[in-house]
Amino acid sequence: MKNYEKNIFTKIISGEIPCKKVFEDEYCFAFHDINPKAQVHILIVPKMNVVDFSDFIQKNEKNNEFIANFFKSVNKIANDILKLDNFQIISNNGRNAGQEVFHFHIHIKSNKK
Ligand code: AMP
């Protein structure tokens, strides 16, 4: 059962819950993970209420532009904002894959600047 209720990341985007913000544009909101698992660990959340990666793709079936622009923003954050040469981009899709927050997000992790 997918949960569309207001979640912690929706509240971070709206400013109801504080975060260490990195970047924001019309497609995404990026901030530091509260419990970093690498030297650099950033979360990037689309400004859209979708629970996981598959839901994000499905909900935007007729809106490829949003998908493309979201992933371009992810790339911009890694390269231009964080200036990382080496990094991982990860998204846990589903509880059994380790997803804890049911608002689609990308993890950018890096141990080398
Ligand atoms: P996932 O397991 O893929 O759903 O990732 C959820 C991530 O959100 C974890 O790495 C948590 O450390 C992180 N997290 C949870 N609450 C917050 C918060 N308030 N601010 C920043 N990161 C958070």
Side-chain angles (χ1 to χ4, degrees):
M1 179 76 175
K2 301 207 165 183
N3 177 15
Y4 293 100
E5 306 243 318
K6 216 173 182 192
N7 57 67
I8 192 158
F9 289 171
T10 311
K11 291 180 182 169
I12 285 175
I13 293 172
S14 69
E16 284 173 68
I17 292 178
C19 72
K20 280 169 69 184
K21 182 174 155 182
V22 169
F23 178 79
E24 176 179 14
D25 62 16
E26 67 179 286
Y27 308 104
C28 75
F29 191 98
F31 52 98
H32 288 267
D33 195 294
I34 205 165
N35 181 20
K37 284 117 194 153
Q39 279 170 24
V40 177
H41 188 172
I42 305 297
L43 301 176
I44 307 174
V45 178
K47 288 183 171 173
M48 183 173 282
N49 200 12
V50 284
V51 296
D52 55 27
F53 171 75
S54 296
D55 192 34
F56 178 60
I57 300 300
Q58 201 181 339
K59 286 265 164 55
N60 287 291
E61 208 175 10
K62 297 195 173 101
N63 190 9
N64 286 335
E65 208 176 317
F66 191 98
I67 297 173
N69 286 328
F70 173 76
F71 281 105
K72 283 180 187 173
S73 295
V74 171
N75 189 49
K76 178 177 173 177
I77 290 164
N79 285 286
D80 303 342
I81 310 290
L82 302 171
K83 302 198 184 304
L84 300 171
D85 291 326
N86 304 274
F87 58 89
Q88 292 175 289
I89 54 170
I90 298 161
S91 186
N92 298 320
N93 194 102
R95 200 176 296 280
N96 289 338
Q99 186 173 3
E100 291 171 2
V101 178
F102 290 87
H103 185 127
F104 169 52
H105 53 283
I106 297 276
H107 296 254
I108 291 185
K109 292 203 263 179
S110 179
N111 286 314
K112 288 186 195 160
K113 272 269 181 184

